[in-house]
């Protein structure tokens, strides 16, 4: 957005605030002027619905907030940055008191977040941080580097690297979407564990697709975390480097969509084994793939907890209390007060205990 369209947006937003102010829709105040005075309006902007997780995130959050008696508008953006921006702008123009945003592109969302703030709304970044703006008030997510570290440690353990196995082992690496601020942290965590083994030559990559450093992570990023793009990438690598019988020992797939693209490729190639394949999100289909031995692990992030933490932040603000946000995360402009939840490694050995007994997925859905 150039500065003119931005300026027009702000003027339009300001114009829209007049009727809202006139009908007394002010935050948390009781003026005795009618039922709408106490209303709390919350907008939720989710990135897409291709992954189950965002659907569950949106629904959980909505349910929780409605349970507090707030009015909730939930929108999904089909993975398109422009669509998300205009949805958030509409929320700003409609005078939302709180807007929860899981950004497609954390940098592109900044301007829309500023519009929410200009209209007096509070912005909470959900799962993914909004970058380079002061207009983000709080952030709720899972410990990001831990997610990547857990994927790296799984590969380290299963290849026996800590026990001194010297390989060399063939490992292919993929990172997340270049526009997703989380993806850098995920790769950083994995690279902390795997990088030294690549340096010593215990791990190698036949494709040569190994970033020179963490800062170069985008060179192995998969646009939009797209399953099909991950699949195309793995098809290329497998056809070029592994279809002559060269063993592929492990694939760092940084979420379940990338894991799916990987095991689909291997299945189609008709191999008689699956390498170690990591993942993230505990998507239903991927839990089944773990049960079937196609995928090795996933990093489970209980999105019910994330929704709960976020809804509780909003409730605290509505009630005039301080939200729980003991950590901070820098977005390039400021340290954003944050709450970081704990992810859990899940593989076939603990699916029952963690996911099924924990009520996240039924035994039937897990394919057990
Ligand atoms: C989320 C992951 C998700 C990925 C793709 C990341 O920002 O943290 O849970 O798999 O985006 O949607």
């Amino acid at each position: 957005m150039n500065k003119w369209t931005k300026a027009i947006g702000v003027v339009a937003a300001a114009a829209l605030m007049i009727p809202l102010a006139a009908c007394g829709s002010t935050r948390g105040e009781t003026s005795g002027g009618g039922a709408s005075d106490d209303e709390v309006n919350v907008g939720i902007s989710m990135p897409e619905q291709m992954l189950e997780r965002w659907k569950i995130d949106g629904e959980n959050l909505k349910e929780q907030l409605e349970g507090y008696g707030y009015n909730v508008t939930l929108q999904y953006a089909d993975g398109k940055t422009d669509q998300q921006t205009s949805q958030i702008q509409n929320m700003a123009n409609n005078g939302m008191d709180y807007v929860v945003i899981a950004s497609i592109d954390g940098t592109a969302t900044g301007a829309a977040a500023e519009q929410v703030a200009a209209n007096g709304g509070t912005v909470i970044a959900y799962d993914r941080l909004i970058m380079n703006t002061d207009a983000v008030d709080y952030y709720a997510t899972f410990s990001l580097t831990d997610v990547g570290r857990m994927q790296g440690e799984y590969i380290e353990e299963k290849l026996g690297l800590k026990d001194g196995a010297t390989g060399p082992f063939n490992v292919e690496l993929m990172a997340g979407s270049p526009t997703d601020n989380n993806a850098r942290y995920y790769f950083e965590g994995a690279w902390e564990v795997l990088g030294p083994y690549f340096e010593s030559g215990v791990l190698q990559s036949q494709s040569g697709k190994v970033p020179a450093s963490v800062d170069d992570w985008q060179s192995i990023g998969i646009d939009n975390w797209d399953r099909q793009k991950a699949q195309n990438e793995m098809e290329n690598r497998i056809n070029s480097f592994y279809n002559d019988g060269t063993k592929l020992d492990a694939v760092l797939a940084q979420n379940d969509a990338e894991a799916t693209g990987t095991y689909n490729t291997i299945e189609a190639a008709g191999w008689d084994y699956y390498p170690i394949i990591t993942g993230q999100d505990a998507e239903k289909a991927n839990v089944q793939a773990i049960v079937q031995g196609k995928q090795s692990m996933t990093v489970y992030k209980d999105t019910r907890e994330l929704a709960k933490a976020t809804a509780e932040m909003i409730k605290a603000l509505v009630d005039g209390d301080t939200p729980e946000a003991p950590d901070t995360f820098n977005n390039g402009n400021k340290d954003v007060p944050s709450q970081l939840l704990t992810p859990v490694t899940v593989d076939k050995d603990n699916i029952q205990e963690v996911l099924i007994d924990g009520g996240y997925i039924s035994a039937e859905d897990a394919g057990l």
Side-chain angles (χ1 to χ4, degrees), residues 47-48 51 53-54 127-128 141 144 180 182-183 186 224-225 254-256 280-281 301:
E48 40 110 341
L51 277 188
R53 74 148 291 182
W54 299 117
D127 197 85
R128 301 170 173 172
T141 192
L144 301 174
D180 178 359
N182 285 0
Y186 294 147
N224 248 336
W225 296 90
Q254 294 222 273
N255 82 342
D256 282 350
Q280 168 183 193
D281 290 331
K301 303 186 302 185

PDB file of all heavy atoms in Angstrom, residues 47-48 51 53-54 127-128 141 144 180 182-183 186 224-225 254-256 280-281 301, ligand 1:
ATOM      1  N   PRO A  47      -5.458 -16.978   8.629  1.00  0.00           N
ATOM      2  CA  PRO A  47      -4.814 -16.915   7.311  1.00  0.00           C
ATOM      3  C   PRO A  47      -5.464 -17.762   6.214  1.00  0.00           C
ATOM      4  O   PRO A  47      -5.531 -17.338   5.066  1.00  0.00           O
ATOM      5  CB  PRO A  47      -3.395 -17.412   7.582  1.00  0.00           C
ATOM      6  CG  PRO A  47      -3.473 -18.211   8.833  1.00  0.00           C
ATOM      7  CD  PRO A  47      -4.590 -17.621   9.635  1.00  0.00           C
ATOM      8  N   GLU A  48      -5.912 -18.959   6.549  1.00  0.00           N
ATOM      9  CA  GLU A  48      -6.420 -19.858   5.507  1.00  0.00           C
ATOM     10  C   GLU A  48      -7.099 -21.053   6.170  1.00  0.00           C
ATOM     11  O   GLU A  48      -7.043 -21.190   7.388  1.00  0.00           O
ATOM     12  CB  GLU A  48      -5.272 -20.338   4.607  1.00  0.00           C
ATOM     13  CG  GLU A  48      -3.984 -20.661   5.351  1.00  0.00           C
ATOM     14  CD  GLU A  48      -3.616 -22.123   5.415  1.00  0.00           C
ATOM     15  OE1 GLU A  48      -4.498 -22.984   5.204  1.00  0.00           O
ATOM     16  OE2 GLU A  48      -2.449 -22.396   5.714  1.00  0.00           O
ATOM     17  N   LEU A  51      -5.035 -25.872   6.127  1.00  0.00           N
ATOM     18  CA  LEU A  51      -4.641 -26.672   7.285  1.00  0.00           C
ATOM     19  C   LEU A  51      -5.798 -26.665   8.259  1.00  0.00           C
ATOM     20  O   LEU A  51      -6.389 -25.632   8.526  1.00  0.00           O
ATOM     21  CB  LEU A  51      -3.418 -26.057   7.984  1.00  0.00           C
ATOM     22  CG  LEU A  51      -2.033 -26.365   7.436  1.00  0.00           C
ATOM     23  CD1 LEU A  51      -0.982 -25.826   8.385  1.00  0.00           C
ATOM     24  CD2 LEU A  51      -1.822 -27.848   7.231  1.00  0.00           C
ATOM     25  N   ARG A  53      -5.569 -26.885  11.323  1.00  0.00           N
ATOM     26  CA  ARG A  53      -5.282 -26.169  12.557  1.00  0.00           C
ATOM     27  C   ARG A  53      -5.913 -24.792  12.581  1.00  0.00           C
ATOM     28  O   ARG A  53      -6.463 -24.374  13.588  1.00  0.00           O
ATOM     29  CB  ARG A  53      -3.775 -26.086  12.852  1.00  0.00           C
ATOM     30  CG  ARG A  53      -2.983 -25.126  11.996  1.00  0.00           C
ATOM     31  CD  ARG A  53      -1.822 -24.534  12.789  1.00  0.00           C
ATOM     32  NE  ARG A  53      -2.301 -23.637  13.847  1.00  0.00           N
ATOM     33  CZ  ARG A  53      -1.539 -22.960  14.653  1.00  0.00           C
ATOM     34  NH1 ARG A  53      -0.231 -23.106  14.586  1.00  0.00           N
ATOM     35  NH2 ARG A  53      -2.023 -22.145  15.562  1.00  0.00           N
ATOM     36  N   TRP A  54      -5.881 -24.055  11.461  1.00  0.00           N
ATOM     37  CA  TRP A  54      -6.416 -22.695  11.484  1.00  0.00           C
ATOM     38  C   TRP A  54      -7.930 -22.690  11.657  1.00  0.00           C
ATOM     39  O   TRP A  54      -8.509 -21.774  12.227  1.00  0.00           O
ATOM     40  CB  TRP A  54      -6.001 -21.931  10.220  1.00  0.00           C
ATOM     41  CG  TRP A  54      -4.509 -21.807  10.096  1.00  0.00           C
ATOM     42  CD1 TRP A  54      -3.726 -22.330   9.106  1.00  0.00           C
ATOM     43  CD2 TRP A  54      -3.604 -21.127  10.990  1.00  0.00           C
ATOM     44  NE1 TRP A  54      -2.404 -22.026   9.327  1.00  0.00           N
ATOM     45  CE2 TRP A  54      -2.301 -21.288  10.476  1.00  0.00           C
ATOM     46  CE3 TRP A  54      -3.762 -20.394  12.179  1.00  0.00           C
ATOM     47  CZ2 TRP A  54      -1.170 -20.755  11.103  1.00  0.00           C
ATOM     48  CZ3 TRP A  54      -2.638 -19.865  12.799  1.00  0.00           C
ATOM     49  CH2 TRP A  54      -1.367 -20.042  12.257  1.00  0.00           C
ATOM     50  N   ASP A 127      -0.244 -16.557  17.060  1.00  0.00           N
ATOM     51  CA  ASP A 127       0.686 -17.551  16.512  1.00  0.00           C
ATOM     52  C   ASP A 127       1.852 -16.914  15.750  1.00  0.00           C
ATOM     53  O   ASP A 127       2.990 -17.294  15.918  1.00  0.00           O
ATOM     54  CB  ASP A 127      -0.041 -18.574  15.619  1.00  0.00           C
ATOM     55  CG  ASP A 127       0.804 -19.813  15.386  1.00  0.00           C
ATOM     56  OD1 ASP A 127       0.751 -20.718  16.236  1.00  0.00           O
ATOM     57  OD2 ASP A 127       1.543 -19.868  14.380  1.00  0.00           O
ATOM     58  N   ARG A 128       1.555 -15.956  14.845  1.00  0.00           N
ATOM     59  CA  ARG A 128       2.599 -15.296  14.049  1.00  0.00           C
ATOM     60  C   ARG A 128       2.644 -13.814  14.406  1.00  0.00           C
ATOM     61  O   ARG A 128       1.592 -13.162  14.442  1.00  0.00           O
ATOM     62  CB  ARG A 128       2.284 -15.434  12.568  1.00  0.00           C
ATOM     63  CG  ARG A 128       2.187 -16.871  12.090  1.00  0.00           C
ATOM     64  CD  ARG A 128       1.644 -16.895  10.679  1.00  0.00           C
ATOM     65  NE  ARG A 128       1.670 -18.229  10.098  1.00  0.00           N
ATOM     66  CZ  ARG A 128       1.098 -18.531   8.931  1.00  0.00           C
ATOM     67  NH1 ARG A 128       0.472 -17.596   8.247  1.00  0.00           N
ATOM     68  NH2 ARG A 128       1.167 -19.752   8.460  1.00  0.00           N
ATOM     69  N   THR A 141       1.774 -17.236  21.296  1.00  0.00           N
ATOM     70  CA  THR A 141       2.254 -18.261  20.377  1.00  0.00           C
ATOM     71  C   THR A 141       2.860 -19.415  21.176  1.00  0.00           C
ATOM     72  O   THR A 141       2.738 -19.456  22.407  1.00  0.00           O
ATOM     73  CB  THR A 141       3.281 -17.672  19.386  1.00  0.00           C
ATOM     74  OG1 THR A 141       3.516 -18.608  18.328  1.00  0.00           O
ATOM     75  CG2 THR A 141       4.608 -17.346  20.053  1.00  0.00           C
ATOM     76  N   LEU A 144       8.823 -20.818  19.662  1.00  0.00           N
ATOM     77  CA  LEU A 144       9.072 -21.105  18.246  1.00  0.00           C
ATOM     78  C   LEU A 144      10.367 -21.882  18.008  1.00  0.00           C
ATOM     79  O   LEU A 144      10.377 -22.866  17.262  1.00  0.00           O
ATOM     80  CB  LEU A 144       9.092 -19.799  17.446  1.00  0.00           C
ATOM     81  CG  LEU A 144       7.812 -18.956  17.511  1.00  0.00           C
ATOM     82  CD1 LEU A 144       8.002 -17.625  16.798  1.00  0.00           C
ATOM     83  CD2 LEU A 144       6.630 -19.691  16.894  1.00  0.00           C
ATOM     84  N   ASP A 180       6.631 -15.885   6.431  1.00  0.00           N
ATOM     85  CA  ASP A 180       6.141 -16.144   7.788  1.00  0.00           C
ATOM     86  C   ASP A 180       7.292 -15.948   8.786  1.00  0.00           C
ATOM     87  O   ASP A 180       8.287 -16.674   8.749  1.00  0.00           O
ATOM     88  CB  ASP A 180       5.601 -17.583   7.853  1.00  0.00           C
ATOM     89  CG  ASP A 180       5.114 -17.976   9.244  1.00  0.00           C
ATOM     90  OD1 ASP A 180       5.207 -17.139  10.175  1.00  0.00           O
ATOM     91  OD2 ASP A 180       4.650 -19.121   9.393  1.00  0.00           O
ATOM     92  N   ASN A 182       7.517 -16.748  11.733  1.00  0.00           N
ATOM     93  CA  ASN A 182       7.783 -17.946  12.552  1.00  0.00           C
ATOM     94  C   ASN A 182       8.822 -18.854  11.909  1.00  0.00           C
ATOM     95  O   ASN A 182       9.586 -19.523  12.601  1.00  0.00           O
ATOM     96  CB  ASN A 182       6.510 -18.794  12.707  1.00  0.00           C
ATOM     97  CG  ASN A 182       5.522 -18.185  13.668  1.00  0.00           C
ATOM     98  OD1 ASN A 182       5.775 -17.133  14.232  1.00  0.00           O
ATOM     99  ND2 ASN A 182       4.388 -18.839  13.856  1.00  0.00           N
ATOM    100  N   ALA A 183       8.781 -18.903  10.584  1.00  0.00           N
ATOM    101  CA  ALA A 183       9.575 -19.909   9.872  1.00  0.00           C
ATOM    102  C   ALA A 183      11.066 -19.761  10.162  1.00  0.00           C
ATOM    103  O   ALA A 183      11.791 -20.743  10.280  1.00  0.00           O
ATOM    104  CB  ALA A 183       9.295 -19.812   8.373  1.00  0.00           C
ATOM    105  N   TYR A 186      11.707 -21.393  13.480  1.00  0.00           N
ATOM    106  CA  TYR A 186      11.638 -22.852  13.391  1.00  0.00           C
ATOM    107  C   TYR A 186      12.943 -23.395  12.811  1.00  0.00           C
ATOM    108  O   TYR A 186      13.507 -24.373  13.302  1.00  0.00           O
ATOM    109  CB  TYR A 186      10.449 -23.294  12.509  1.00  0.00           C
ATOM    110  CG  TYR A 186       9.083 -22.966  13.076  1.00  0.00           C
ATOM    111  CD1 TYR A 186       8.009 -22.653  12.248  1.00  0.00           C
ATOM    112  CD2 TYR A 186       8.855 -22.981  14.452  1.00  0.00           C
ATOM    113  CE1 TYR A 186       6.754 -22.361  12.760  1.00  0.00           C
ATOM    114  CE2 TYR A 186       7.598 -22.693  14.967  1.00  0.00           C
ATOM    115  CZ  TYR A 186       6.557 -22.374  14.116  1.00  0.00           C
ATOM    116  OH  TYR A 186       5.320 -22.088  14.628  1.00  0.00           O
ATOM    117  N   ASN A 224       4.311 -20.115   1.233  1.00  0.00           N
ATOM    118  CA  ASN A 224       3.008 -20.334   1.865  1.00  0.00           C
ATOM    119  C   ASN A 224       2.878 -21.675   2.574  1.00  0.00           C
ATOM    120  O   ASN A 224       1.780 -22.124   2.823  1.00  0.00           O
ATOM    121  CB  ASN A 224       1.889 -20.240   0.820  1.00  0.00           C
ATOM    122  CG  ASN A 224       1.047 -19.022   1.061  1.00  0.00           C
ATOM    123  OD1 ASN A 224       0.998 -18.515   2.192  1.00  0.00           O
ATOM    124  ND2 ASN A 224       0.379 -18.556   0.029  1.00  0.00           N
ATOM    125  N   TRP A 225       3.969 -22.336   2.831  1.00  0.00           N
ATOM    126  CA  TRP A 225       3.946 -23.665   3.463  1.00  0.00           C
ATOM    127  C   TRP A 225       3.070 -24.614   2.632  1.00  0.00           C
ATOM    128  O   TRP A 225       2.384 -25.494   3.177  1.00  0.00           O
ATOM    129  CB  TRP A 225       3.347 -23.610   4.861  1.00  0.00           C
ATOM    130  CG  TRP A 225       4.042 -22.823   5.910  1.00  0.00           C
ATOM    131  CD1 TRP A 225       3.862 -21.512   6.223  1.00  0.00           C
ATOM    132  CD2 TRP A 225       4.992 -23.320   6.871  1.00  0.00           C
ATOM    133  NE1 TRP A 225       4.632 -21.158   7.294  1.00  0.00           N
ATOM    134  CE2 TRP A 225       5.338 -22.251   7.726  1.00  0.00           C
ATOM    135  CE3 TRP A 225       5.584 -24.566   7.111  1.00  0.00           C
ATOM    136  CZ2 TRP A 225       6.234 -22.373   8.782  1.00  0.00           C
ATOM    137  CZ3 TRP A 225       6.469 -24.686   8.170  1.00  0.00           C
ATOM    138  CH2 TRP A 225       6.786 -23.600   8.984  1.00  0.00           C
ATOM    139  N   GLN A 254       9.136 -28.942   8.085  1.00  0.00           N
ATOM    140  CA  GLN A 254       8.907 -28.141   9.290  1.00  0.00           C
ATOM    141  C   GLN A 254       7.448 -28.005   9.669  1.00  0.00           C
ATOM    142  O   GLN A 254       7.137 -27.431  10.701  1.00  0.00           O
ATOM    143  CB  GLN A 254       9.645 -26.802   9.190  1.00  0.00           C
ATOM    144  CG  GLN A 254      11.176 -27.055   9.185  1.00  0.00           C
ATOM    145  CD  GLN A 254      11.963 -26.086  10.019  1.00  0.00           C
ATOM    146  OE1 GLN A 254      12.339 -25.031   9.525  1.00  0.00           O
ATOM    147  NE2 GLN A 254      12.226 -26.401  11.281  1.00  0.00           N
ATOM    148  N   ASN A 255       6.546 -28.545   8.862  1.00  0.00           N
ATOM    149  CA  ASN A 255       5.176 -28.696   9.344  1.00  0.00           C
ATOM    150  C   ASN A 255       4.533 -29.897   8.654  1.00  0.00           C
ATOM    151  O   ASN A 255       5.165 -30.556   7.811  1.00  0.00           O
ATOM    152  CB  ASN A 255       4.348 -27.408   9.192  1.00  0.00           C
ATOM    153  CG  ASN A 255       3.782 -27.212   7.804  1.00  0.00           C
ATOM    154  OD1 ASN A 255       4.230 -27.826   6.836  1.00  0.00           O
ATOM    155  ND2 ASN A 255       2.797 -26.340   7.688  1.00  0.00           N
ATOM    156  N   ASP A 256       3.304 -30.180   9.010  1.00  0.00           N
ATOM    157  CA  ASP A 256       2.664 -31.394   8.494  1.00  0.00           C
ATOM    158  C   ASP A 256       2.355 -31.306   6.998  1.00  0.00           C
ATOM    159  O   ASP A 256       2.308 -32.330   6.309  1.00  0.00           O
ATOM    160  CB  ASP A 256       1.388 -31.703   9.298  1.00  0.00           C
ATOM    161  CG  ASP A 256       1.714 -32.342  10.654  1.00  0.00           C
ATOM    162  OD1 ASP A 256       2.891 -32.715  10.870  1.00  0.00           O
ATOM    163  OD2 ASP A 256       0.796 -32.479  11.488  1.00  0.00           O
ATOM    164  N   GLN A 280       4.860 -30.829  12.042  1.00  0.00           N
ATOM    165  CA  GLN A 280       4.381 -29.910  13.086  1.00  0.00           C
ATOM    166  C   GLN A 280       2.889 -29.722  12.891  1.00  0.00           C
ATOM    167  O   GLN A 280       2.447 -29.558  11.749  1.00  0.00           O
ATOM    168  CB  GLN A 280       5.088 -28.547  12.928  1.00  0.00           C
ATOM    169  CG  GLN A 280       4.475 -27.451  13.763  1.00  0.00           C
ATOM    170  CD  GLN A 280       5.104 -26.073  13.578  1.00  0.00           C
ATOM    171  OE1 GLN A 280       4.832 -25.213  14.381  1.00  0.00           O
ATOM    172  NE2 GLN A 280       5.904 -25.837  12.572  1.00  0.00           N
ATOM    173  N   ASP A 281       2.134 -29.778  13.942  1.00  0.00           N
ATOM    174  CA  ASP A 281       0.708 -29.415  14.016  1.00  0.00           C
ATOM    175  C   ASP A 281      -0.229 -30.550  14.427  1.00  0.00           C
ATOM    176  O   ASP A 281      -1.368 -30.281  14.777  1.00  0.00           O
ATOM    177  CB  ASP A 281       0.135 -28.840  12.702  1.00  0.00           C
ATOM    178  CG  ASP A 281       0.669 -27.467  12.371  1.00  0.00           C
ATOM    179  OD1 ASP A 281       1.010 -26.737  13.320  1.00  0.00           O
ATOM    180  OD2 ASP A 281       0.765 -27.135  11.181  1.00  0.00           O
ATOM    181  N   LYS A 301       1.102 -28.743  18.967  1.00  0.00           N
ATOM    182  CA  LYS A 301       0.863 -27.484  19.664  1.00  0.00           C
ATOM    183  C   LYS A 301      -0.640 -27.469  19.952  1.00  0.00           C
ATOM    184  O   LYS A 301      -1.442 -27.424  19.022  1.00  0.00           O
ATOM    185  CB  LYS A 301       1.273 -26.315  18.768  1.00  0.00           C
ATOM    186  CG  LYS A 301       2.738 -26.414  18.324  1.00  0.00           C
ATOM    187  CD  LYS A 301       3.205 -25.198  17.546  1.00  0.00           C
ATOM    188  CE  LYS A 301       2.389 -24.942  16.314  1.00  0.00           C
ATOM    189  NZ  LYS A 301       2.922 -23.827  15.500  1.00  0.00           N
TER     190      LYS A 301
HETATM  191  C1  LIG B   1       2.393 -22.088  12.192  1.00  0.00           C
HETATM  192  C2  LIG B   1       2.348 -23.564  11.944  1.00  0.00           C
HETATM  193  C3  LIG B   1       1.738 -23.859  10.589  1.00  0.00           C
HETATM  194  C4  LIG B   1       2.347 -22.999   9.500  1.00  0.00           C
HETATM  195  C5  LIG B   1       1.587 -23.117   8.193  1.00  0.00           C
HETATM  196  C6  LIG B   1       3.114 -21.419  11.060  1.00  0.00           C
HETATM  197  O1  LIG B   1       3.219 -20.056  11.274  1.00  0.00           O
HETATM  198  O2  LIG B   1       3.018 -21.797  13.414  1.00  0.00           O
HETATM  199  O3  LIG B   1       1.599 -24.176  12.967  1.00  0.00           O
HETATM  200  O4  LIG B   1       1.947 -25.183  10.236  1.00  0.00           O
HETATM  201  O5  LIG B   1       2.380 -21.659   9.880  1.00  0.00           O
HETATM  202  O6  LIG B   1       0.283 -22.683   8.291  1.00  0.00           O
END
